[in-house]
Coordinates of all heavy atoms in Angstrom, one line a residue:
M1 N -82.0 -73.1 9.9 CA -81.9 -71.8 9.2 C -80.4 -71.4 9.2 O -79.8 -71.3 10.3 CB -82.8 -70.8 9.8 CG -82.7 -69.4 9.1 SD -83.9 -68.4 9.9 CE -83.7 -67.0 8.9
A2 N -79.8 -71.1 8.1 CA -78.4 -70.7 8.0 C -78.3 -69.3 8.4 O -79.1 -68.4 8.2 CB -77.9 -70.9 6.5
S3 N -77.2 -69.0 9.1 CA -76.9 -67.7 9.6 C -76.3 -66.8 8.5 O -75.6 -67.2 7.6 CB -75.9 -67.7 10.7 OG -75.5 -66.4 11.1
D4 N -76.7 -65.5 8.5 CA -76.2 -64.6 7.5 C -74.8 -64.0 8.0 O -74.2 -63.3 7.3 CB -77.1 -63.4 7.3 CG -78.4 -63.9 6.5 OD1 -78.3 -64.9 5.8 OD2 -79.4 -63.2 6.7
R5 N -74.4 -64.4 9.2 CA -73.2 -63.9 9.8 C -72.0 -64.6 9.1 O -72.0 -65.8 9.1 CB -73.2 -64.2 11.3 CG -72.1 -63.7 12.0 CD -72.3 -63.9 13.5 NE -71.0 -63.7 14.2 CZ -70.9 -63.6 15.5 NH1 -72.0 -63.7 16.2 NH2 -69.8 -63.5 16.0
P6 N -71.0 -63.9 8.6 CA -69.9 -64.5 7.9 C -69.1 -65.4 8.9 O -69.0 -65.0 10.1 CB -69.0 -63.4 7.4 CG -69.8 -62.1 7.6 CD -70.9 -62.4 8.6
S7 N -68.5 -66.4 8.4 CA -67.7 -67.3 9.3 C -66.4 -66.5 9.7 O -66.0 -65.6 9.1 CB -67.3 -68.6 8.6 OG -66.3 -68.3 7.6
E8 N -65.9 -67.0 10.8 CA -64.6 -66.4 11.3 C -63.5 -66.5 10.3 O -62.8 -65.6 10.0 CB -64.2 -67.1 12.6 CG -63.1 -66.5 13.3 CD -63.5 -65.4 14.3 OE1 -64.6 -65.0 14.3 OE2 -62.6 -64.9 15.0
A9 N -63.4 -67.7 9.7 CA -62.4 -68.0 8.7 C -62.5 -67.1 7.5 O -61.5 -66.5 7.0 CB -62.4 -69.4 8.3
A10 N -63.8 -66.8 7.1 CA -64.0 -65.9 5.9 C -63.6 -64.5 6.3 O -63.0 -63.8 5.5 CB -65.5 -66.0 5.5
L11 N -63.9 -64.0 7.5 CA -63.6 -62.7 7.9 C -62.0 -62.5 8.0 O -61.5 -61.5 7.6 CB -64.2 -62.3 9.2 CG -65.7 -62.0 9.1 CD1 -66.3 -61.8 10.5 CD2 -66.0 -60.8 8.3
I12 N -61.4 -63.5 8.5 CA -59.9 -63.5 8.6 C -59.3 -63.4 7.2 O -58.4 -62.6 7.0 CB -59.4 -64.7 9.4 CG1 -59.8 -64.6 10.9 CG2 -57.9 -64.9 9.3 CD1 -59.6 -65.8 11.7
A13 N -59.8 -64.2 6.3 CA -59.3 -64.2 4.9 C -59.5 -62.9 4.3 O -58.6 -62.3 3.6 CB -59.9 -65.3 4.1
E14 N -60.6 -62.3 4.5 CA -60.9 -60.9 3.9 C -60.0 -59.9 4.6 O -59.5 -59.0 3.9 CB -62.4 -60.6 4.1 CG -63.3 -61.4 3.2 CD -64.8 -61.1 3.5 OE1 -65.1 -60.0 4.0 OE2 -65.6 -62.0 3.3
A15 N -59.9 -60.0 5.9 CA -59.0 -59.0 6.6 C -57.6 -59.1 6.1 O -56.9 -58.1 6.0 CB -59.1 -59.2 8.1
R16 N -57.1 -60.3 5.9 CA -55.8 -60.6 5.4 C -55.6 -59.9 4.0 O -54.5 -59.4 3.7 CB -55.6 -62.1 5.2 CG -54.2 -62.6 5.2 CD -54.2 -64.1 5.1 NE -54.5 -64.8 6.3 CZ -53.7 -65.0 7.4 NH1 -52.5 -64.5 7.3 NH2 -54.1 -65.6 8.5
E17 N -56.6 -59.8 3.3 CA -56.6 -59.1 2.0 C -56.8 -57.6 2.0 O -56.8 -56.9 1.0 CB -57.6 -59.7 1.0 CG -57.3 -61.2 0.7 CD -56.0 -61.4 0.0 OE1 -55.7 -60.6 -0.9 OE2 -55.3 -62.3 0.3
G18 N -57.0 -57.1 3.2 CA -57.2 -55.6 3.4 C -58.6 -55.1 3.5 O -58.8 -53.9 3.5
S19 N -59.6 -56.0 3.7 CA -61.0 -55.5 3.8 C -61.2 -54.8 5.2 O -61.1 -55.4 6.2 CB -61.9 -56.7 3.7 OG -63.2 -56.3 4.1
A20 N -61.5 -53.5 5.1 CA -61.8 -52.7 6.3 C -63.1 -53.2 7.0 O -63.2 -53.2 8.2 CB -61.9 -51.3 5.9
A21 N -64.0 -53.7 6.2 CA -65.3 -54.2 6.7 C -65.0 -55.5 7.5 O -65.6 -55.6 8.6 CB -66.3 -54.5 5.6
A22 N -64.2 -56.3 7.1 CA -63.8 -57.6 7.8 C -63.1 -57.2 9.1 O -63.4 -57.8 10.1 CB -63.0 -58.5 6.9
V23 N -62.2 -56.3 9.0 CA -61.4 -55.9 10.2 C -62.4 -55.3 11.2 O -62.4 -55.7 12.4 CB -60.3 -54.9 9.9 CG1 -59.8 -54.2 11.1 CG2 -59.3 -55.5 9.0
S24 N -63.3 -54.5 10.8 CA -64.4 -53.9 11.7 C -65.2 -55.0 12.3 O -65.5 -55.0 13.5 CB -65.2 -53.0 10.9 OG -66.2 -52.4 11.7
A25 N -65.6 -56.0 11.5 CA -66.5 -57.1 12.0 C -65.7 -57.9 13.1 O -66.2 -58.3 14.1 CB -66.9 -58.0 10.9
L26 N -64.4 -58.2 12.8 CA -63.6 -58.9 13.8 C -63.4 -58.1 15.0 O -63.5 -58.7 16.1 CB -62.2 -59.3 13.1 CG -62.3 -60.3 12.1 CD1 -61.0 -60.4 11.3 CD2 -62.6 -61.7 12.6
Y27 N -63.2 -56.8 14.9 CA -63.1 -56.0 16.1 C -64.4 -56.0 16.9 O -64.3 -56.2 18.1 CB -62.8 -54.5 15.6 CG -62.7 -53.6 16.8 CD1 -61.4 -53.4 17.4 CD2 -63.7 -52.8 17.2 CE1 -61.3 -52.6 18.5 CE2 -63.6 -51.9 18.3 CZ -62.4 -51.8 18.9 OH -62.2 -50.9 20.0
E28 N -65.5 -55.9 16.3 CA -66.8 -56.0 17.0 C -67.0 -57.3 17.7 O -67.5 -57.3 18.8 CB -68.0 -55.7 16.0 CG -68.1 -54.3 15.5 CD -68.4 -53.3 16.6 OE1 -69.2 -53.6 17.5 OE2 -67.7 -52.2 16.6
R29 N -66.5 -58.4 17.1 CA -66.7 -59.7 17.7 C -65.8 -59.9 18.9 O -66.1 -60.6 19.8 CB -66.4 -60.8 16.7 CG -67.4 -61.0 15.7 CD -67.1 -62.3 14.8 NE -68.1 -62.4 13.8 CZ -68.1 -63.4 12.9 NH1 -67.3 -64.3 13.0 NH2 -69.1 -63.4 12.0
H30 N -64.6 -59.3 18.9 CA -63.6 -59.7 19.8 C -63.0 -58.6 20.7 O -62.3 -58.9 21.7 CB -62.4 -60.4 19.1 CG -62.8 -61.6 18.3 ND1 -63.2 -62.7 18.9 CD2 -62.9 -61.8 16.9 CE1 -63.6 -63.6 17.9 NE2 -63.3 -63.1 16.8
N31 N -63.4 -57.4 20.5 CA -62.9 -56.3 21.3 C -63.2 -56.5 22.8 O -62.4 -56.3 23.7 CB -63.3 -55.0 20.8 CG -62.8 -53.8 21.7 OD1 -61.5 -53.7 21.8 ND2 -63.6 -53.0 22.2
A32 N -64.4 -56.8 23.1 CA -64.8 -57.0 24.5 C -64.0 -58.0 25.2 O -63.6 -57.8 26.4 CB -66.3 -57.3 24.6
A33 N -63.7 -59.2 24.6 CA -62.9 -60.2 25.2 C -61.5 -59.7 25.4 O -60.9 -60.0 26.4 CB -63.0 -61.5 24.3
A34 N -60.9 -59.0 24.4 CA -59.6 -58.5 24.5 C -59.5 -57.5 25.7 O -58.5 -57.5 26.5 CB -59.1 -57.9 23.2
L35 N -60.5 -56.7 25.8 CA -60.5 -55.7 26.9 C -60.6 -56.4 28.2 O -60.0 -56.0 29.2 CB -61.6 -54.7 26.7 CG -61.7 -53.5 27.6 CD1 -60.3 -52.8 27.7 CD2 -62.8 -52.5 27.2
W36 N -61.5 -57.4 28.3 CA -61.7 -58.1 29.5 C -60.3 -58.8 30.0 O -60.0 -58.7 31.1 CB -62.7 -59.2 29.4 CG -63.0 -60.0 30.6 CD1 -63.8 -59.8 31.6 CD2 -62.3 -61.3 30.9 NE1 -63.7 -60.8 32.6 CE2 -62.8 -61.7 32.1 CE3 -61.4 -62.1 30.2 CZ2 -62.4 -62.9 32.7 CZ3 -61.0 -63.3 30.8 CH2 -61.5 -63.7 32.0
A37 N -59.6 -59.4 29.0 CA -58.4 -60.0 29.3 C -57.3 -59.0 29.8 O -56.6 -59.2 30.7 CB -57.8 -60.8 28.1
A38 N -57.3 -57.8 29.1 CA -56.3 -56.8 29.5 C -56.6 -56.3 30.9 O -55.7 -56.1 31.7 CB -56.4 -55.6 28.5
R39 N -57.9 -56.2 31.3 CA -58.3 -55.8 32.6 C -57.9 -56.8 33.7 O -57.7 -56.5 34.8 CB -59.8 -55.5 32.7 CG -60.2 -54.2 32.0 CD -61.7 -54.0 32.0 NE -62.1 -52.8 31.3 CZ -63.3 -52.7 30.8 NH1 -64.2 -53.6 30.9 NH2 -63.6 -51.6 30.1
A40 N -57.9 -58.1 33.3 CA -57.5 -59.1 34.2 C -56.0 -59.0 34.6 O -55.6 -59.3 35.7 CB -57.7 -60.5 33.6
Y41 N -55.2 -58.4 33.7 CA -53.8 -58.2 34.0 C -53.4 -56.8 34.5 O -52.4 -56.6 35.2 CB -52.9 -58.4 32.7 CG -53.0 -59.8 32.2 CD1 -53.7 -60.1 31.1 CD2 -52.4 -60.9 32.9 CE1 -53.8 -61.4 30.6 CE2 -52.5 -62.2 32.4 CZ -53.2 -62.4 31.2 OH -53.3 -63.7 30.8
L42 N -54.2 -55.8 34.2 CA -53.9 -54.4 34.6 C -55.0 -53.8 35.3 O -56.2 -54.0 35.0 CB -53.7 -53.6 33.3 CG -52.6 -54.2 32.3 CD1 -52.8 -53.7 30.9 CD2 -51.3 -53.9 32.9
R43 N -54.7 -53.0 36.3 CA -55.7 -52.3 37.1 C -56.2 -51.0 36.5 O -57.3 -50.6 36.6 CB -55.2 -52.0 38.5 CG -55.0 -53.2 39.3 CD -54.4 -52.9 40.7 NE -54.1 -54.1 41.4 CZ -54.8 -54.5 42.5 NH1 -55.8 -53.8 42.9 NH2 -54.4 -55.6 43.1
D44 N -55.3 -50.3 35.8 CA -55.6 -49.1 35.2 C -56.4 -49.2 33.9 O -56.0 -49.9 33.0 CB -54.3 -48.3 34.8 CG -54.5 -47.0 34.2 OD1 -55.1 -46.1 34.9 OD2 -54.2 -46.8 33.0
Q45 N -57.6 -48.7 33.9 CA -58.5 -48.8 32.8 C -58.0 -48.3 31.5 O -58.1 -48.9 30.4 CB -59.8 -48.0 33.1 CG -60.8 -47.9 32.0 CD -61.5 -49.2 31.7 OE1 -61.6 -50.1 32.5 NE2 -62.1 -49.3 30.5
H46 N -57.3 -47.2 31.5 CA -56.8 -46.6 30.2 C -55.6 -47.5 29.7 O -55.6 -47.6 28.5 CB -56.3 -45.2 30.5 CG -57.4 -44.2 30.9 ND1 -58.4 -43.9 30.0 CD2 -57.6 -43.6 32.1 CE1 -59.2 -43.1 30.7 NE2 -58.8 -42.9 31.9
T47 N -54.8 -48.0 30.5 CA -53.7 -48.9 30.1 C -54.3 -50.1 29.5 O -53.8 -50.6 28.5 CB -52.8 -49.2 31.2 OG1 -52.2 -47.9 31.8 CG2 -51.6 -50.0 30.8
A48 N -55.3 -50.7 30.2 CA -56.0 -51.9 29.6 C -56.6 -51.6 28.3 O -56.4 -52.5 27.4 CB -57.1 -52.4 30.6
E49 N -57.2 -50.5 28.1 CA -57.8 -50.2 26.8 C -56.7 -50.1 25.7 O -56.8 -50.5 24.6 CB -58.6 -48.9 26.8 CG -59.8 -49.0 27.6 CD -60.5 -47.7 27.9 OE1 -60.0 -46.6 27.4 OE2 -61.6 -47.7 28.5
D50 N -55.5 -49.4 26.1 CA -54.4 -49.3 25.2 C -53.8 -50.7 24.8 O -53.5 -50.9 23.6 CB -53.3 -48.4 25.8 CG -53.7 -47.0 25.8 OD1 -54.6 -46.6 25.2 OD2 -53.0 -46.2 26.5
V51 N -53.7 -51.5 25.8 CA -53.1 -52.9 25.5 C -54.1 -53.7 24.6 O -53.6 -54.3 23.7 CB -52.9 -53.6 26.9 CG1 -52.7 -55.1 26.6 CG2 -51.7 -53.0 27.6
A52 N -55.4 -53.6 24.9 CA -56.3 -54.3 24.0 C -56.3 -53.8 22.6 O -56.3 -54.6 21.6 CB -57.7 -54.2 24.6
A53 N -56.2 -52.5 22.4 CA -56.2 -51.9 21.1 C -54.9 -52.2 20.4 O -54.9 -52.6 19.2 CB -56.3 -50.4 21.2
N54 N -53.8 -52.2 21.1 CA -52.5 -52.5 20.5 C -52.4 -54.0 20.1 O -51.9 -54.3 19.0 CB -51.3 -52.2 21.4 CG -51.1 -50.7 21.5 OD1 -51.4 -49.9 20.5 ND2 -50.6 -50.2 22.6
A55 N -53.0 -54.8 20.9 CA -53.0 -56.3 20.6 C -53.8 -56.5 19.3 O -53.4 -57.3 18.4 CB -53.6 -57.1 21.7
F56 N -54.9 -55.8 19.1 CA -55.7 -55.9 17.9 C -55.0 -55.4 16.7 O -54.9 -56.1 15.7 CB -57.1 -55.2 18.1 CG -58.0 -55.5 16.9 CD1 -58.8 -56.7 16.9 CD2 -58.1 -54.7 15.8 CE1 -59.6 -57.0 15.9 CE2 -59.0 -55.0 14.8 CZ -59.7 -56.2 14.8
V57 N -54.3 -54.3 16.8 CA -53.5 -53.7 15.7 C -52.4 -54.7 15.3 O -52.2 -55.0 14.1 CB -53.0 -52.3 16.1 CG1 -51.9 -51.9 15.1 CG2 -54.1 -51.3 16.2
D58 N -51.7 -55.3 16.3 CA -50.6 -56.2 16.1 C -51.2 -57.5 15.4 O -50.5 -58.0 14.5 CB -49.9 -56.6 17.4 CG -49.1 -55.4 17.9 OD1 -48.9 -54.4 17.2 OD2 -48.7 -55.5 19.1
T59 N -52.3 -57.9 15.8 CA -52.9 -59.1 15.2 C -53.3 -58.9 13.8 O -53.1 -59.7 12.9 CB -54.2 -59.6 16.0 OG1 -53.7 -59.9 17.4 CG2 -54.8 -60.8 15.4
M60 N -53.9 -57.7 13.5 CA -54.2 -57.4 12.1 C -52.9 -57.2 11.2 O -52.9 -57.7 10.1 CB -55.0 -56.1 12.0 CG -56.4 -56.2 12.6 SD -57.4 -57.4 11.8 CE -57.4 -58.7 13.1
A61 N -51.9 -56.7 11.8 CA -50.6 -56.6 11.1 C -50.0 -58.0 10.8 O -49.5 -58.2 9.7 CB -49.6 -55.8 11.9
A62 N -50.2 -58.9 11.7 CA -49.8 -60.3 11.5 C -50.6 -60.9 10.3 O -50.0 -61.6 9.5 CB -49.9 -61.1 12.8
L63 N -51.9 -60.7 10.3 CA -52.7 -61.2 9.2 C -52.2 -60.7 7.9 O -52.1 -61.4 6.9 CB -54.2 -60.9 9.4 CG -54.9 -61.5 10.6 CD1 -56.3 -61.1 10.6 CD2 -54.8 -63.0 10.5
R64 N -52.0 -59.4 7.8 CA -51.6 -58.7 6.6 C -50.2 -59.2 6.1 O -50.0 -59.2 4.9 CB -51.6 -57.2 6.7 CG -52.9 -56.5 6.9 CD -53.9 -56.7 5.7 NE -53.3 -56.3 4.5 CZ -53.4 -55.1 3.9 NH1 -54.2 -54.2 4.5 NH2 -52.9 -54.9 2.7
S65 N -49.4 -59.7 7.0 CA -48.1 -60.1 6.6 C -48.1 -61.6 6.3 O -47.0 -62.2 6.1 CB -47.0 -59.8 7.6 OG -47.2 -60.5 8.8
G66 N -49.2 -62.3 6.4 CA -49.3 -63.7 6.1 C -49.2 -64.6 7.3 O -49.1 -65.8 7.2
R67 N -49.0 -64.0 8.5 CA -48.9 -64.8 9.7 C -50.3 -64.8 10.4 O -51.2 -64.3 9.9 CB -47.8 -64.2 10.6 CG -46.4 -64.3 9.9 CD -45.4 -63.6 10.8 NE -45.6 -62.2 10.8 CZ -45.8 -61.5 12.0 NH1 -45.8 -62.1 13.1 NH2 -46.0 -60.2 11.9
G68 N -50.3 -65.3 11.6 CA -51.5 -65.3 12.4 C -52.5 -66.4 12.1 O -52.2 -67.3 11.3
P69 N -53.6 -66.3 12.7 CA -54.6 -67.4 12.6 C -55.3 -67.4 11.3 O -55.3 -66.4 10.5 CB -55.6 -67.0 13.7 CG -55.5 -65.5 13.8 CD -54.1 -65.2 13.6
R70 N -55.8 -68.6 11.0 CA -56.6 -68.7 9.7 C -58.1 -69.0 10.0 O -58.9 -68.8 9.1 CB -56.0 -69.9 8.9 CG -54.6 -69.6 8.5 CD -54.4 -69.9 7.0 NE -53.0 -69.5 6.7 CZ -52.7 -68.5 5.9 NH1 -53.6 -67.7 5.5 NH2 -51.4 -68.3 5.6
E71 N -58.4 -69.5 11.2 CA -59.7 -69.9 11.5 C -60.3 -69.3 12.7 O -61.5 -69.1 12.8 CB -59.8 -71.4 11.6 CG -59.5 -72.2 10.3 CD -59.6 -73.7 10.4 OE1 -60.1 -74.1 11.5 OE2 -59.2 -74.3 9.5
A72 N -59.5 -69.0 13.7 CA -60.1 -68.5 15.0 C -59.2 -67.4 15.5 O -58.0 -67.6 15.8 CB -60.1 -69.6 16.0
L73 N -59.7 -66.2 15.5 CA -58.9 -65.0 15.9 C -58.7 -64.8 17.4 O -57.7 -64.5 17.9 CB -59.6 -63.7 15.3 CG -58.8 -62.5 15.5 CD1 -57.7 -62.3 14.4 CD2 -59.7 -61.2 15.5
R74 N -59.8 -65.1 18.2 CA -59.8 -64.8 19.6 C -58.6 -65.4 20.3 O -57.9 -64.7 21.1 CB -61.1 -65.2 20.2 CG -61.1 -64.7 21.7 CD -62.5 -64.8 22.3 NE -63.4 -63.9 21.6 CZ -64.6 -63.7 22.0 NH1 -65.1 -64.3 23.0 NH2 -65.4 -62.9 21.3
P75 N -58.2 -66.7 20.2 CA -57.1 -67.2 21.0 C -55.8 -66.5 20.6 O -55.0 -66.2 21.6 CB -57.0 -68.7 20.5 CG -58.4 -69.0 20.0 CD -58.9 -67.8 19.4
Y76 N -55.6 -66.2 19.4 CA -54.4 -65.4 19.0 C -54.4 -64.0 19.6 O -53.4 -63.6 20.1 CB -54.3 -65.4 17.5 CG -53.0 -64.8 16.9 CD1 -52.0 -65.7 16.5 CD2 -52.8 -63.5 16.8 CE1 -50.9 -65.2 16.0 CE2 -51.6 -63.0 16.2 CZ -50.7 -63.9 15.8 OH -49.5 -63.4 15.3
L77 N -55.5 -63.4 19.5 CA -55.7 -62.0 20.1 C -55.5 -62.0 21.6 O -54.8 -61.1 22.1 CB -57.1 -61.5 19.7 CG -57.4 -60.1 20.3 CD1 -56.5 -59.0 19.7 CD2 -58.9 -59.7 19.9
L78 N -56.0 -63.0 22.3 CA -55.9 -63.0 23.7 C -54.4 -63.3 24.1 O -53.9 -62.7 25.1 CB -56.8 -64.0 24.3 CG -58.3 -63.7 24.2 CD1 -59.2 -64.7 24.9 CD2 -58.6 -62.3 24.7
M79 N -53.7 -64.0 23.3 CA -52.3 -64.2 23.6 C -51.5 -62.9 23.3 O -50.6 -62.6 24.1 CB -51.7 -65.4 22.7 CG -52.1 -66.7 23.2 SD -51.6 -67.1 24.9 CE -49.8 -67.0 24.8
A80 N -51.9 -62.2 22.4 CA -51.3 -60.9 22.1 C -51.5 -59.9 23.3 O -50.6 -59.2 23.6 CB -51.8 -60.3 20.8
V81 N -52.7 -60.0 23.9 CA -53.0 -59.2 25.0 C -52.1 -59.6 26.2 O -51.5 -58.7 26.9 CB -54.5 -59.3 25.5 CG1 -54.7 -58.7 26.8 CG2 -55.4 -58.6 24.4
R82 N -52.0 -60.9 26.4 CA -51.2 -61.4 27.5 C -49.7 -60.9 27.3 O -49.0 -60.6 28.2 CB -51.3 -62.9 27.5 CG -50.6 -63.5 28.7 CD -51.0 -64.9 28.8 NE -50.3 -65.5 30.0 CZ -49.8 -66.7 30.0 NH1 -50.0 -67.5 29.0 NH2 -49.2 -67.1 31.1

């Protein structure tokens, strides 16, 4: 049975074109991992949340400018957190 869930590459392509729904879906998929990574580096919860959020914003900006990943967002996002 095929999944109705869009592929990562499709969401990235849509986000690159400015789709708010695609950005939201990518955020839902990867925010917990970004937050977990930030917490691994930082003890302060609020700072970790800020770092994870900023990494996501920076990653979306990279996509919009034609840079960034084409198939897998999470490795790029986690490097931005780091």
Side-chain angles (χ1 to χ4, degrees):
M1 181 175 184
S3 172
D4 291 336
R5 185 174 164 169
S7 73
E8 187 88 354
L11 287 174
I12 290 170
E14 290 174 25
R16 200 176 287 280
E17 296 298 318
S19 167
V23 170
S24 179
L26 289 167
Y27 180 84
E28 289 296 319
R29 284 187 186 185
H30 301 294
N31 181 56
L35 188 53
W36 179 86
R39 286 179 182 152
Y41 296 108
L42 302 162
R43 291 180 186 250
D44 179 65
Q45 173 72 20
H46 298 292
T47 303
E49 289 172 0
D50 288 346
V51 166
N54 287 334
F56 190 81
V57 168
D58 291 347
T59 299
M60 292 302 106
L63 291 181
R64 292 297 307 265
S65 69
R67 297 176 292 120
R70 300 229 176 249
E71 295 181 9
L73 187 82
R74 187 168 294 187
Y76 190 96
L77 178 61
L78 294 181
M79 285 303 295
V81 167
R82 187 170 176 214

